[in-house]
Amino acid sequence: MVRRASWQLNFWLLLAFTLSSLHLYAEPIKFFQGGQLQKTLESKELSSTAQTIEVYEPHEQINVRYQGYSTQAVFDSVFGPSWRSAEEVLFTCADGYQPSIPVK
C-alpha cells in the first residue's frame, strides 16, 4: 500500500513538472496513443483542476510547493480507462528527452 501511494505521488509530480511549461510558454500539451494524436489541451482547460502539494526538496533541504494535476484524472479524460492497461506511459519533453513511467 505504501509503495503504491509513493508511485502515485511520483507519477502525479511528473505530470506537474511536465505540465508546468504550459503556464510559462502557453504551449498546448498533446496526447498521443499508438502514434495517433488523441487530444490537445490548453492550460486554461486544466486550470480548474490544479492542486497544490508540498514536498520536501532534499537538495535545498526545504519544503517546496508545486502546482500540478492528477495524472489519473487527466489521462482518464483524454484516453478513458484504456491507458490503465498499458505497460508504461512515455512523456516527450520539449528538448526531446523521453522519460517513461510504468503504469503497474
XYZ file of all heavy atoms in Angstrom:
845
model
N 0.824 -1.186 0.000
C 0.000 0.000 0.000
C 0.872 1.255 0.000
O 0.628 2.164 -0.745
C -0.923 -0.031 1.212
C -1.941 1.075 1.187
S -3.174 0.846 -0.086
C -4.606 0.744 0.910
N 1.930 1.286 0.810
C 2.812 2.445 0.857
C 3.533 2.589 -0.480
O 3.673 3.689 -0.991
C 3.830 2.313 2.007
C 4.862 3.411 1.945
C 3.105 2.332 3.341
N 3.958 1.477 -1.067
C 4.661 1.511 -2.350
C 3.770 2.115 -3.424
O 4.197 2.925 -4.221
C 5.090 0.109 -2.720
C 5.943 0.056 -3.939
C 6.399 -1.347 -4.169
N 7.285 -1.374 -5.292
C 7.804 -2.445 -5.784
N 7.535 -3.610 -5.226
N 8.597 -2.409 -6.814
N 2.503 1.738 -3.458
C 1.575 2.267 -4.452
C 1.353 3.757 -4.246
O 1.333 4.527 -5.194
C 0.252 1.522 -4.394
C -0.702 1.989 -5.459
C -1.939 1.164 -5.512
N -2.747 1.630 -6.618
C -3.956 1.258 -6.846
N -4.522 0.377 -6.066
N -4.625 1.733 -7.859
N 1.197 4.187 -3.009
C 0.993 5.612 -2.732
C 2.200 6.416 -3.187
O 2.073 7.491 -3.755
C 0.726 5.831 -1.253
N 3.404 5.881 -2.958
C 4.625 6.550 -3.390
C 4.662 6.646 -4.910
O 5.003 7.677 -5.468
C 5.832 5.784 -2.872
O 7.011 6.340 -3.390
N 4.304 5.569 -5.616
C 4.277 5.564 -7.069
C 3.294 6.600 -7.580
O 3.599 7.347 -8.501
C 3.901 4.179 -7.564
C 3.674 4.145 -9.043
C 4.631 4.014 -9.998
C 2.437 4.260 -9.726
N 4.056 4.045 -11.238
C 2.713 4.192 -11.100
C 1.121 4.412 -9.325
C 1.721 4.262 -12.065
C 0.135 4.492 -10.274
C 0.439 4.422 -11.625
N 2.119 6.681 -6.966
C 1.113 7.641 -7.406
C 1.608 9.070 -7.203
O 1.400 9.929 -8.053
C -0.201 7.420 -6.675
C -0.916 6.172 -7.120
C -2.157 5.887 -6.309
O -2.343 6.430 -5.236
N -3.012 5.033 -6.828
N 2.274 9.333 -6.097
C 2.802 10.668 -5.846
C 3.863 11.003 -6.879
O 3.857 12.088 -7.456
C 3.390 10.772 -4.438
C 4.071 12.102 -4.107
C 3.066 13.249 -4.202
C 4.675 12.052 -2.724
N 4.766 10.066 -7.158
C 5.797 10.307 -8.163
C 5.185 10.545 -9.536
O 5.609 11.426 -10.272
C 6.779 9.137 -8.234
C 7.653 9.048 -7.006
O 7.856 10.030 -6.318
N 8.142 7.872 -6.730
N 4.182 9.770 -9.883
C 3.509 9.909 -11.164
C 2.806 11.263 -11.237
O 2.874 11.958 -12.233
C 2.515 8.758 -11.300
C 2.140 8.431 -12.709
C 3.100 8.363 -13.709
C 0.833 8.163 -13.029
C 2.747 8.031 -15.002
C 0.473 7.833 -14.316
C 1.434 7.760 -15.301
N 2.173 11.660 -10.147
C 1.469 12.937 -10.073
C 2.458 14.080 -10.204
O 2.217 15.038 -10.922
C 0.723 13.011 -8.735
C -0.242 14.125 -8.643
C -1.561 14.091 -8.974
C 0.007 15.441 -8.163
N -2.126 15.304 -8.744
C -1.189 16.152 -8.241
C 1.129 16.091 -7.675
C -1.292 17.474 -7.850
C 1.027 17.410 -7.286
C -0.173 18.087 -7.374
N 3.588 13.971 -9.535
C 4.605 15.022 -9.613
C 5.180 15.141 -11.013
O 5.423 16.243 -11.494
C 5.738 14.755 -8.622
C 5.428 15.056 -7.173
C 6.588 14.597 -6.293
C 5.160 16.525 -6.960
N 5.380 14.010 -11.690
C 5.912 14.075 -13.041
C 4.960 14.832 -13.946
O 5.381 15.651 -14.750
C 6.170 12.674 -13.588
C 6.784 12.618 -14.979
C 8.117 13.377 -15.022
C 6.993 11.204 -15.414
N 3.676 14.585 -13.800
C 2.719 15.329 -14.600
C 2.764 16.806 -14.232
O 2.671 17.666 -15.097
C 1.303 14.780 -14.438
C 0.274 15.415 -15.368
C 0.629 15.131 -16.824
C -1.112 14.908 -15.071
N 2.961 17.100 -12.955
C 3.062 18.505 -12.541
C 4.240 19.172 -13.227
O 4.124 20.283 -13.740
C 3.216 18.604 -11.023
N 5.397 18.506 -13.260
C 6.567 19.072 -13.914
C 6.355 19.173 -15.415
O 6.736 20.142 -16.051
C 7.814 18.239 -13.645
C 8.224 18.232 -12.206
C 8.585 17.052 -11.594
C 8.242 19.388 -11.461
C 8.974 17.035 -10.270
C 8.635 19.383 -10.131
C 8.997 18.201 -9.535
N 5.733 18.155 -16.001
C 5.501 18.140 -17.439
C 4.568 19.264 -17.852
O 4.803 19.950 -18.838
C 4.894 16.784 -17.865
O 5.773 15.737 -17.463
C 4.690 16.726 -19.363
N 3.516 19.468 -17.091
C 2.531 20.476 -17.458
C 2.898 21.883 -17.002
O 2.283 22.843 -17.421
C 1.156 20.094 -16.890
C 0.579 18.790 -17.432
C -0.768 18.511 -16.795
C 0.436 18.840 -18.938
N 3.909 22.015 -16.168
C 4.268 23.344 -15.679
C 4.675 24.270 -16.821
O 4.497 25.475 -16.740
C 5.382 23.258 -14.646
O 6.576 22.795 -15.240
N 5.195 23.718 -17.901
C 5.583 24.556 -19.036
C 4.375 25.188 -19.710
O 4.513 26.183 -20.403
C 6.384 23.740 -20.050
O 5.578 22.742 -20.625
N 3.206 24.642 -19.510
C 2.016 25.232 -20.114
C 1.808 26.663 -19.648
O 1.434 27.525 -20.421
C 0.764 24.407 -19.764
C 0.638 23.049 -20.409
C -0.587 22.328 -19.866
C 0.558 23.169 -21.904
N 2.045 26.900 -18.375
C 1.838 28.234 -17.833
C 2.959 29.181 -18.232
O 2.742 30.366 -18.400
C 1.707 28.172 -16.310
C 0.493 27.400 -15.883
N -0.775 27.871 -16.040
C 0.373 26.177 -15.326
C -1.640 26.979 -15.600
N -0.963 25.938 -15.159
N 4.163 28.674 -18.403
C 5.290 29.525 -18.750
C 5.293 29.915 -20.217
O 5.603 31.047 -20.562
C 6.609 28.813 -18.423
C 6.848 28.486 -16.949
C 8.114 27.658 -16.805
C 6.956 29.765 -16.145
N 4.960 29.001 -21.088
C 5.087 29.236 -22.515
C 3.749 29.230 -23.251
O 3.728 29.475 -24.441
C 6.004 28.185 -23.139
C 7.339 28.108 -22.458
C 7.677 27.039 -21.650
C 8.264 29.135 -22.610
C 8.910 26.971 -21.025
C 9.498 29.083 -21.976
C 9.813 28.001 -21.191
O 11.019 27.945 -20.570
N 2.681 28.929 -22.567
C 1.341 28.852 -23.165
C 1.293 27.877 -24.340
O 0.552 28.076 -25.276
C 0.849 30.232 -23.560
N 2.111 26.849 -24.286
C 2.109 25.822 -25.327
C 1.052 24.783 -24.975
O 0.946 24.378 -23.825
C 3.465 25.130 -25.407
C 4.580 25.998 -25.933
C 4.511 26.175 -27.436
O 4.006 25.276 -28.126
O 4.972 27.219 -27.903
N 0.290 24.328 -25.943
C -0.663 23.247 -25.650
C 0.088 21.942 -25.421
O 1.218 21.773 -25.891
C -1.511 23.174 -26.914
C -0.652 23.739 -27.985
C 0.235 24.759 -27.323
N -0.525 21.042 -24.685
C 0.067 19.725 -24.484
C -0.704 18.743 -25.356
O -1.929 18.793 -25.437
C 0.068 19.300 -23.000
C 0.808 17.999 -22.824
C -1.326 19.219 -22.430
C 1.125 17.651 -21.394
N 0.034 17.883 -26.042
C -0.573 16.933 -26.969
C -0.475 15.531 -26.389
O 0.560 15.143 -25.862
C 0.136 16.989 -28.317
C -0.023 18.334 -29.001
C 0.749 18.402 -30.293
C 0.597 19.786 -30.889
N 1.374 19.929 -32.117
N -1.545 14.792 -26.514
C -1.618 13.420 -26.016
C -1.734 12.474 -27.206
O -2.641 12.605 -28.020
C -2.834 13.254 -25.099
C -2.765 14.075 -23.847
C -3.225 15.385 -23.829
C -2.223 13.546 -22.687
C -3.160 16.143 -22.672
C -2.155 14.304 -21.524
C -2.621 15.605 -21.522
N -0.802 11.522 -27.285
C -0.780 10.542 -28.363
C -0.989 9.147 -27.795
O -0.593 8.862 -26.674
C 0.569 10.566 -29.082
C 0.812 11.802 -29.882
C 1.307 12.948 -29.287
C 0.547 11.818 -31.244
C 1.536 14.095 -30.021
C 0.782 12.965 -31.989
C 1.279 14.105 -31.381
N -1.579 8.294 -28.612
C -1.688 6.876 -28.257
C -1.453 6.090 -29.535
O -2.145 6.325 -30.540
C -3.065 6.564 -27.666
C -3.193 5.142 -27.176
C -4.496 4.905 -26.438
O -5.457 5.625 -26.614
N -4.514 3.880 -25.626
N -0.463 5.224 -29.506
C -0.129 4.448 -30.698
C 0.293 5.323 -31.859
O 0.018 5.008 -33.007
N 0.925 6.459 -31.565
C 1.382 7.366 -32.606
C 0.317 8.293 -33.160
O 0.591 9.134 -34.003
N -0.910 8.150 -32.701
C -2.023 8.970 -33.184
C -2.394 10.028 -32.157
O -2.542 9.720 -30.970
C -3.252 8.100 -33.465
C -3.034 7.030 -34.513
C -2.802 7.631 -35.886
O -3.481 8.555 -36.305
N -1.794 7.102 -36.582
N -2.555 11.275 -32.612
C -2.962 12.361 -31.723
C -4.372 12.088 -31.205
O -5.297 11.879 -31.987
C -2.924 13.699 -32.461
C -3.324 14.927 -31.650
C -2.346 15.169 -30.499
C -3.410 16.153 -32.544
N -4.521 12.060 -29.884
C -5.819 11.813 -29.265
C -6.516 13.104 -28.863
O -7.716 13.240 -29.001
C -5.664 10.917 -28.032
C -5.089 9.554 -28.321
C -5.992 8.733 -29.213
O -7.167 8.593 -28.943
N -5.436 8.213 -30.289
N -5.714 14.054 -28.330
C -6.304 15.283 -27.821
C -5.208 16.311 -27.577
O -4.070 15.961 -27.275
C -7.051 15.011 -26.511
C -7.918 16.131 -26.024
C -8.783 15.676 -24.856
C -9.825 16.713 -24.547
N -10.766 16.275 -23.546
N -5.549 17.567 -27.716
C -4.661 18.671 -27.386
C -5.362 19.519 -26.339
O -6.544 19.839 -26.494
C -4.354 19.527 -28.638
O -3.732 18.697 -29.615
C -3.444 20.687 -28.307
N -4.658 19.847 -25.258
C -5.246 20.655 -24.186
C -4.447 21.942 -24.001
O -3.228 21.941 -24.024
C -5.240 19.890 -22.864
C -6.141 18.671 -22.747
C -5.930 17.977 -21.408
C -7.602 19.062 -22.904
N -5.151 23.024 -23.776
C -4.562 24.316 -23.428
C -4.531 24.408 -21.909
O -5.313 23.755 -21.217
C -5.401 25.459 -24.002
C -5.539 25.437 -25.507
C -4.290 25.880 -26.233
O -3.444 26.559 -25.610
O -4.148 25.542 -27.415
N -3.653 25.237 -21.371
C -3.528 25.360 -19.916
C -4.836 25.797 -19.276
O -5.173 25.353 -18.184
C -2.404 26.327 -19.557
O -2.670 27.605 -20.065
N -5.611 26.643 -19.939
C -6.873 27.110 -19.357
C -7.880 25.966 -19.173
O -8.737 26.037 -18.313
C -7.477 28.227 -20.199
C -7.839 27.820 -21.600
C -8.308 29.000 -22.425
C -8.503 28.565 -23.869
N -8.660 29.693 -24.744
N -7.738 24.914 -19.957
C -8.629 23.766 -19.817
C -8.305 22.949 -18.575
O -9.129 22.182 -18.100
C -8.546 22.870 -21.052
C -9.035 23.537 -22.320
C -8.861 22.652 -23.530
O -9.719 21.769 -23.750
O -7.854 22.833 -24.243
N -7.094 23.085 -18.056
C -6.673 22.332 -16.885
C -6.693 23.157 -15.608
O -6.646 22.601 -14.518
C -5.254 21.796 -17.095
C -5.094 20.762 -18.192
C -3.626 20.530 -18.474
C -5.774 19.468 -17.789
N -6.739 24.458 -15.708
C -6.555 25.319 -14.536
C -7.557 25.059 -13.420
O -7.223 25.190 -12.248
C -6.580 26.791 -14.941
O -7.828 27.119 -15.500
N -8.771 24.658 -13.738
C -9.763 24.423 -12.692
C -9.482 23.155 -11.889
O -10.014 22.979 -10.804
C -11.170 24.352 -13.296
O -11.278 23.224 -14.135
N -8.634 22.276 -12.411
C -8.337 21.024 -11.704
C -6.978 21.054 -11.012
O -6.539 20.045 -10.482
C -8.373 19.827 -12.677
O -7.362 20.012 -13.671
C -9.727 19.682 -13.337
N -6.318 22.196 -11.036
C -4.980 22.307 -10.430
C -5.049 22.073 -8.922
O -5.987 22.484 -8.253
C -4.372 23.674 -10.710
N -4.024 21.408 -8.420
C -3.893 21.148 -6.991
C -2.488 21.543 -6.571
O -1.550 21.442 -7.352
C -4.101 19.661 -6.688
C -5.447 19.143 -7.091
C -5.531 17.634 -6.944
O -4.634 16.981 -6.424
N -6.603 17.058 -7.432
N -2.357 21.999 -5.347
C -1.044 22.357 -4.826
C -0.645 21.331 -3.774
O -1.444 20.996 -2.907
C -1.060 23.769 -4.201
O -1.471 24.691 -5.208
C 0.307 24.162 -3.684
N 0.574 20.820 -3.899
C 1.092 19.897 -2.893
C 2.418 20.441 -2.390
O 3.105 21.192 -3.072
C 1.259 18.460 -3.429
C 2.277 18.416 -4.576
C -0.074 17.880 -3.864
C 2.684 17.016 -4.955
N 2.758 20.049 -1.189
C 4.031 20.449 -0.602
C 4.866 19.204 -0.378
O 4.385 18.211 0.166
C 3.794 21.173 0.725
C 5.058 21.753 1.328
C 4.768 22.636 2.523
O 4.006 23.608 2.373
O 5.318 22.345 3.594
N 6.110 19.245 -0.818
C 7.025 18.125 -0.660
C 8.374 18.635 -0.162
O 8.700 19.807 -0.316
C 7.232 17.335 -1.978
C 5.941 16.692 -2.437
C 7.801 18.219 -3.061
N 9.137 17.742 0.421
C 10.465 18.090 0.895
C 11.445 18.019 -0.275
O 11.507 17.029 -0.989
C 10.907 17.134 2.003
C 12.278 17.441 2.544
C 12.488 18.560 3.348
C 13.361 16.631 2.238
C 13.756 18.852 3.838
C 14.627 16.916 2.724
C 14.818 18.030 3.522
O 16.066 18.318 3.997
N 12.194 19.077 -0.491
C 13.191 19.151 -1.558
C 14.553 18.870 -0.933
O 15.103 19.724 -0.238
C 13.156 20.540 -2.183
C 13.547 20.655 -3.646
C 14.843 20.018 -4.060
O 15.874 20.131 -3.381
O 14.832 19.389 -5.114
N 15.108 17.657 -1.124
C 16.333 17.282 -0.419
C 17.571 18.089 -0.821
O 18.462 18.276 -0.014
C 16.512 15.802 -0.760
C 15.728 15.591 -2.001
C 14.599 16.576 -1.962
N 17.629 18.580 -2.043
C 18.809 19.350 -2.466
C 18.859 20.722 -1.798
O 19.924 21.205 -1.433
C 18.841 19.503 -3.987
C 18.879 18.193 -4.703
N 19.923 17.313 -4.580
C 17.991 17.598 -5.529
C 19.679 16.237 -5.303
N 18.509 16.380 -5.887
N 17.702 21.329 -1.649
C 17.620 22.635 -0.991
C 17.379 22.500 0.511
O 17.488 23.464 1.252
C 16.495 23.473 -1.610
C 16.679 23.769 -3.080
C 17.837 24.705 -3.347
O 18.119 25.583 -2.506
O 18.481 24.544 -4.403
N 16.975 21.306 0.929
C 16.650 20.994 2.323
C 15.538 21.892 2.868
O 15.602 22.390 3.987
C 17.902 21.059 3.198
C 18.944 20.049 2.770
C 20.167 20.043 3.656
O 20.332 20.871 4.544
N 21.044 19.092 3.419
N 14.506 22.069 2.042
C 13.332 22.853 2.440
C 12.081 22.202 1.851
O 12.170 21.385 0.934
C 13.408 24.321 1.946
C 13.535 24.359 0.410
C 14.549 25.075 2.608
C 13.393 25.743 -0.196
N 10.935 22.575 2.373
C 9.678 22.171 1.775
C 9.352 23.144 0.644
O 9.549 24.353 0.791
C 8.554 22.187 2.805
C 8.672 21.043 3.782
O 9.339 20.056 3.519
N 8.031 21.175 4.923
N 8.896 22.619 -0.474
C 8.510 23.451 -1.608
C 7.106 23.065 -2.051
O 6.642 21.956 -1.801
C 9.492 23.316 -2.797
C 10.852 23.885 -2.443
C 9.618 21.881 -3.244
N 6.436 23.978 -2.713
C 5.082 23.734 -3.206
C 5.097 23.663 -4.726
O 5.777 24.444 -5.382
C 4.144 24.855 -2.763
C 3.876 24.827 -1.290
C 2.895 25.898 -0.918
N 2.702 25.847 0.518
C 1.795 26.535 1.143
N 1.018 27.363 0.481
N 1.679 26.428 2.445
N 4.341 22.710 -5.233
C 4.182 22.539 -6.671
C 2.706 22.552 -6.992
O 1.887 22.007 -6.249
C 4.774 21.204 -7.150
C 6.266 21.123 -7.025
C 6.867 20.425 -5.984
C 7.087 21.743 -7.955
C 8.245 20.349 -5.883
C 8.469 21.668 -7.861
C 9.036 20.975 -6.819
O 10.399 20.896 -6.718
N 2.386 23.161 -8.105
C 1.016 23.115 -8.597
C 1.001 22.090 -9.713
O 1.860 22.120 -10.610
C 0.571 24.470 -9.119
C -0.887 24.483 -9.508
C -1.345 25.869 -9.933
O -0.563 26.657 -10.437
N -2.608 26.148 -9.727
N 0.074 21.178 -9.651
C 0.035 20.115 -10.644
C -1.372 19.603 -10.845
O -2.347 20.178 -10.346
N -1.451 18.519 -11.561
C -2.734 17.948 -11.959
C -2.681 16.446 -11.726
O -1.648 15.820 -11.918
C -2.986 18.226 -13.445
C -2.802 19.679 -13.761
C -1.553 20.181 -14.127
C -3.846 20.568 -13.630
C -1.361 21.527 -14.378
C -3.669 21.920 -13.885
C -2.421 22.392 -14.257
O -2.236 23.724 -14.494
N -3.792 15.873 -11.352
C -3.862 14.436 -11.136
C -3.646 13.721 -12.464
O -4.407 13.913 -13.414
C -5.218 14.056 -10.557
O -5.417 12.660 -10.657
N -2.603 12.913 -12.526
C -2.319 12.157 -13.744
C -3.486 11.268 -14.103
O -3.905 11.210 -15.256
C -1.063 11.284 -13.537
O -0.005 12.118 -13.107
C -0.675 10.571 -14.804
N -4.002 10.582 -13.120
C -5.103 9.658 -13.389
C -6.316 10.387 -13.952
O -6.921 9.936 -14.924
C -5.472 8.894 -12.124
C -4.375 7.946 -11.703
C -4.669 7.264 -10.381
O -5.478 7.731 -9.599
N -3.984 6.168 -10.134
N -6.664 11.529 -13.391
C -7.837 12.277 -13.869
C -7.624 12.804 -15.281
O -8.521 12.707 -16.132
C -8.151 13.423 -12.917
N -6.451 13.351 -15.557
C -6.173 13.876 -16.896
C -6.165 12.743 -17.918
O -6.808 12.834 -18.965
C -4.839 14.655 -16.932
C -4.466 15.027 -18.363
C -4.925 15.909 -16.071
N -5.449 11.663 -17.625
C -5.388 10.551 -18.576
C -6.749 9.896 -18.768
O -7.091 9.492 -19.873
C -4.356 9.520 -18.134
C -2.926 9.957 -18.326
C -1.901 9.149 -17.911
C -2.600 11.165 -18.911
C -0.573 9.527 -18.079
C -1.286 11.558 -19.091
C -0.267 10.737 -18.672
N -7.539 9.777 -17.698
C -8.887 9.222 -17.832
C -9.734 10.077 -18.768
O -10.487 9.559 -19.589
C -9.580 9.108 -16.469
C -9.110 7.908 -15.668
O -8.452 7.012 -16.227
O -9.418 7.874 -14.454
N -9.611 11.409 -18.662
C -10.423 12.282 -19.522
C -9.945 12.260 -20.970
O -10.730 12.427 -21.887
C -10.433 13.719 -18.991
O -9.191 14.343 -19.208
N -8.653 12.025 -21.185
C -8.111 12.005 -22.545
C -8.261 10.631 -23.194
O -8.732 10.519 -24.325
C -6.620 12.419 -22.541
C -5.997 12.210 -23.914
C -6.466 13.865 -22.105
N -7.859 9.579 -22.489
C -7.804 8.239 -23.069
C -8.918 7.301 -22.608
O -9.053 6.205 -23.140
C -6.465 7.570 -22.712
C -5.257 8.329 -23.181
C -4.406 8.917 -22.271
C -4.978 8.462 -24.528
C -3.277 9.616 -22.686
C -3.858 9.155 -24.962
C -3.008 9.742 -24.038
N -9.675 7.695 -21.597
C -10.621 6.764 -20.999
C -9.844 5.747 -20.173
O -8.641 5.916 -19.939
N -10.469 4.682 -19.746
C -9.779 3.719 -18.875
C -8.726 2.863 -19.584
O -7.952 2.175 -18.932
C -10.917 2.849 -18.341
C -11.978 2.950 -19.381
C -11.865 4.347 -19.954
N -8.641 2.926 -20.901
C -7.717 2.048 -21.631
C -6.256 2.272 -21.276
O -5.457 1.340 -21.327
C -7.906 2.213 -23.143
O -7.517 3.514 -23.548
N -5.871 3.481 -20.892
C -4.464 3.754 -20.574
C -3.989 2.953 -19.371
O -2.812 2.653 -19.252
C -4.223 5.251 -20.333
C -4.718 5.755 -19.020
C -5.954 6.238 -18.731
C -3.987 5.817 -17.800
N -6.054 6.601 -17.419
C -4.845 6.351 -16.819
C -2.690 5.482 -17.428
C -4.449 6.547 -15.503
C -2.301 5.687 -16.113
C -3.170 6.212 -15.174
N -4.908 2.570 -18.485
C -4.546 1.852 -17.267
C -4.036 0.429 -17.547
O -3.396 -0.173 -16.696
C -5.720 1.812 -16.305
C -6.075 3.192 -15.774
C -7.361 3.162 -14.948
N -7.723 4.477 -14.510
C -7.501 4.957 -13.288
N -6.895 4.219 -12.386
N -7.880 6.176 -12.980
N -4.298 -0.086 -18.731
C -3.810 -1.430 -19.065
C -2.493 -1.388 -19.840
O -1.954 -2.432 -20.192
C -4.868 -2.189 -19.870
O -5.116 -1.531 -21.094
N -1.970 -0.204 -20.092
C -0.680 -0.077 -20.786
C 0.453 -0.506 -19.865
O 0.321 -0.500 -18.643
C -0.473 1.371 -21.226
N 1.579 -0.867 -20.447
C 2.755 -1.223 -19.652
C 3.428 0.013 -19.074
O 3.911 0.001 -17.957
C 3.760 -2.003 -20.499
C 3.307 -3.410 -20.812
C 4.359 -4.185 -21.569
O 5.568 -3.939 -21.365
O 3.969 -5.041 -22.368
N 3.484 1.085 -19.872
C 4.136 2.310 -19.420
C 3.535 3.510 -20.133
O 2.861 3.380 -21.146
C 5.639 2.257 -19.670
C 6.024 2.203 -21.123
C 7.526 2.115 -21.344
O 8.309 2.195 -20.385
O 7.921 1.982 -22.507
N 3.810 4.680 -19.574
C 3.421 5.948 -20.187
C 4.720 6.656 -20.547
O 5.620 6.797 -19.718
C 2.585 6.816 -19.215
C 2.325 8.182 -19.809
C 1.278 6.117 -18.873
N 4.816 7.072 -21.794
C 6.009 7.751 -22.285
C 5.707 9.238 -22.433
O 4.739 9.627 -23.080
C 6.428 7.176 -23.642
C 7.644 7.814 -24.311
C 8.916 7.491 -23.512
C 7.775 7.319 -25.741
N 6.537 10.071 -21.807
C 6.423 11.518 -21.918
C 7.496 11.996 -22.887
O 8.618 11.493 -22.858
C 6.650 12.186 -20.557
C 5.599 11.858 -19.544
C 5.704 10.725 -18.751
C 4.504 12.693 -19.377
C 4.736 10.414 -17.810
C 3.531 12.393 -18.432
C 3.647 11.261 -17.650
N 7.175 12.952 -23.732
C 8.181 13.564 -24.602
C 8.269 15.038 -24.237
O 7.296 15.773 -24.365
C 7.819 13.393 -26.084
O 7.684 11.998 -26.373
C 8.892 13.994 -26.977
N 9.447 15.449 -23.802
C 9.672 16.829 -23.375
C 10.056 17.700 -24.566
O 10.423 17.203 -25.625
C 10.787 16.862 -22.328
S 10.442 15.807 -20.905
N 9.971 19.017 -24.372
C 10.297 19.970 -25.434
C 11.715 19.779 -25.950
O 11.984 19.997 -27.134
C 10.093 21.395 -24.939
N 12.641 19.351 -25.089
C 14.035 19.171 -25.515
C 14.302 17.778 -26.090
O 15.430 17.442 -26.406
C 14.981 19.458 -24.353
C 14.856 18.471 -23.202
O 14.009 17.545 -23.267
O 15.602 18.615 -22.219
N 13.261 16.968 -26.231
C 13.400 15.633 -26.801
C 13.587 14.512 -25.803
O 13.511 13.344 -26.153
N 13.849 14.835 -24.542
C 14.003 13.807 -23.508
C 12.697 13.032 -23.378
O 11.612 13.619 -23.419
C 14.388 14.461 -22.182
C 14.502 13.497 -21.033
C 15.452 12.474 -21.045
C 13.663 13.603 -19.941
C 15.565 11.593 -19.978
C 13.771 12.732 -18.864
C 14.715 11.725 -18.899
O 14.806 10.849 -17.857
N 12.782 11.700 -23.245
C 11.592 10.863 -23.157
C 11.612 9.959 -21.943
O 11.963 8.782 -22.025
C 11.450 10.021 -24.428
C 11.122 10.846 -25.662
C 10.788 9.983 -26.837
O 11.528 9.060 -27.171
N 9.686 10.279 -27.477
N 11.211 10.481 -20.782
C 11.103 9.613 -19.604
C 9.848 8.742 -19.722
O 8.861 9.138 -20.354
C 10.967 10.609 -18.452
C 10.321 11.798 -19.079
C 10.852 11.858 -20.492
N 9.907 7.565 -19.140
C 8.729 6.700 -19.114
C 8.461 6.269 -17.691
O 9.364 6.176 -16.870
C 8.921 5.486 -20.019
O 9.926 4.635 -19.527
N 7.193 5.992 -17.433
C 6.760 5.572 -16.098
C 5.928 4.297 -16.270
O 5.012 4.275 -17.091
C 5.854 6.640 -15.457
C 6.563 7.956 -15.373
C 5.318 6.184 -14.117
C 7.215 8.259 -14.063
N 6.245 3.243 -15.517
C 5.400 2.044 -15.603
C 4.023 2.332 -15.034
O 3.883 3.052 -14.059
C 6.150 1.009 -14.770
C 7.066 1.785 -13.897
C 7.346 3.085 -14.581
N 2.996 1.790 -15.672
C 1.616 2.003 -15.202
C 1.309 1.093 -14.033
O 0.634 1.490 -13.103
C 0.611 1.791 -16.359
C -0.823 1.851 -15.849
C 0.844 2.833 -17.439
N 1.830 -0.117 -14.056
C 1.511 -1.073 -12.985
C 2.701 -1.279 -12.104
O 3.799 -1.179 -12.431
C 1.048 -2.387 -13.568
C -0.234 -2.199 -14.336
C -0.666 -3.495 -14.931
C -1.903 -3.240 -15.767
N -2.485 -4.382 -16.332
